Amino acid sequence: MKKDQKVIDVGCGTGFLSLKFLEKAECFITGIDSSSEMLTIFTEKTKKLSLPNRICIKLEDAESLQFKPNSFDIVASTVTLHHLKNKYPTIKKIHNILNPKGKFVLGDIDIDTTGNTSDPKRMLKLLKWLKEEFALALTEGGTKAFSRMYDNGKKYILTDGEYCISFKQWKELCFKAKFSKVTVKSLADFKWFKVLVAIK
Ligand SMILES: C[S@@+](CC[C@H](N)C(=O)[O-])C[C@H]1O[C@@H](n2cnc3c(N)ncnc32)[C@H](O)[C@@H]1O
C-alpha cells in the first residue's frame, strides 16, 4: 500500500478492516455499510483516534455504490458481498469506480449454496461441508453450540439472507466485469475463507 491511496471498504461494519488499512499506510478510507448501528460503532471508534480527514463513513448499500468512475485505488470487502442476491451489478460497479490498474480485494467464505433448497443433492453437498462446523459446535456443547448449528443451518441450507458462491464463481464474475487479472488465495488458518484480488 502507498501513502494517500484511496480505499473504499464495502460493508465496513464497525471498521475492523478500514482501521487495518490505516495501520498499514496513511491512506484515505471511505467506509460504507447499510447498517446505521454498525456505522455508529465505527464512528465512535474513530473519535478516539486522531485521524482527521482520513476516514469518511457513509450509510450506503453495496448495491448502490454511487461514486464517480475512477474514484478509488482499492475496493475492499470482507464477509459482506455474499449478502447480495444478485452480485454481478455490484461487481461491475466496483470495476467502474476503480482507477485504471486499481485492485478489488474480496475476503469471504468459499462455499456454493446456490440451488433449490429442496434439492437433496444440494443438501448432501452442504451437509458434507457443514458437518465439520456442526462437529465443532457439538464439541463445545451447550445452548451456544446449538444456536450456532441452527444459525449455520439457516444461513447455508435455507440461504436466509446469505447467498454464498464459490470463489470459482466470484472469479468468473470478475472476468465477466472485465477485470484483467484475478488471483485467489487460501489462508493457512482458515480452511473455508479465501481472498481474491482482481486488477482492473
Ligand atoms: C460480517 S459483517 C463484516 C464487517 C466488516 N467487513 C468486517 O470484516 O469486520 C457484514 C457487514 O455487511 C453489512 N452489509 C450487509 N449487507 C449489506 C449491503 N447490501 N450493503 C452494505 N453493507 C451490507 C452488514 O451491515 C455488516 O456490517
Side-chain angles (χ1 to χ4, degrees):
M1 275 208 64
K2 289 180 205 135
K3 192 175 182 286
D4 294 338
Q5 275 193 315
K6 295 194 180 94
V7 180
I8 179 166
D9 181 2
V10 179
C12 60
T14 60
F16 180 79
L17 180 70
S18 296
L19 295 174
K20 287 267 172 231
F21 271 110
L22 280 161
E23 274 173 26
K24 291 246 177 251
E26 272 182 76
C27 53
F28 292 103
I29 294 277
T30 300
I32 66 152
D33 202 285
S34 57
S35 157
S36 53
E37 287 86 359
M38 290 287 193
L39 295 183
T40 303
I41 299 172
F42 188 10
T43 307
E44 285 307 312
K45 274 191 198 171
T46 60
K47 280 183 192 161
K48 293 180 193 140
L49 305 164
S50 173
L51 296 163
N53 307 323
R54 289 277 161 189
I55 305 183
C56 164
I57 296 171
K58 225 177 145 202
L59 182 68
E60 180 153 343
D61 201 288
E63 285 178 302
S64 155
L65 282 188
Q66 305 250 359
F67 297 92
K68 287 188 188 136
N70 309 328
S71 293
F72 298 98
D73 301 297
I74 298 173
V75 176
S77 188
T78 46
V79 264
T80 294
L81 296 183
H82 67 262
H83 288 291
L84 308 183
K85 218 170 186 175
N86 190 8
K87 297 169 177 61
Y88 181 62
T90 294
I91 301 295
K92 266 192 85 158
K93 283 181 190 178
I94 288 174
H95 182 272
N96 188 41
I97 62 174
L98 272 170
N99 285 329
K101 304 278 175 212
K103 278 185 192 163
F104 167 41
V105 184
L106 168 78
D108 217 313
I109 189 158
D110 184 24
I111 175 172
D112 174 13
T113 63
T114 54
N116 192 328
T117 49
S118 58
D119 175 5
K121 275 193 192 149
R122 171 185 175 273
M123 178 69 94
L124 201 66
K125 191 180 76 179
L126 289 180
L127 282 177
K128 269 189 200 152
W129 182 81
L130 280 168
K131 74 177 180 204
E132 282 184 40
E133 274 287 311
F134 288 170
L136 266 179
L138 287 172
T139 319
E140 285 166 24
T143 47
K144 230 174 145 184
F146 180 78
S147 129
R148 213 171 94 203
M149 281 171 59
Y150 177 72
D151 217 43
N152 276 328
K154 247 177 47 168
K155 275 196 295 195
Y156 302 115
I157 296 172
L158 302 178
T159 54
D160 186 26
E162 313 226 355
Y163 313 94
C164 295
I165 58 171
S166 68
F167 268 67
K168 187 173 173 279
Q169 288 161 305
W170 280 117
K171 200 172 174 175
E172 282 163 10
L173 289 180
C174 288
F175 279 129
K176 190 175 163 193
K178 304 265 186 285
F179 278 95
S180 64
K181 191 180 166 203
V182 186
T183 50
V184 174
K185 278 191 185 153
S186 305
L187 303 183
D189 297 334
F190 301 96
K191 194 171 169 191
W192 305 106
F193 192 87
K194 290 205 174 126
V195 177
L196 171 149
V197 179
I199 315 277
K200 183 165 173 177

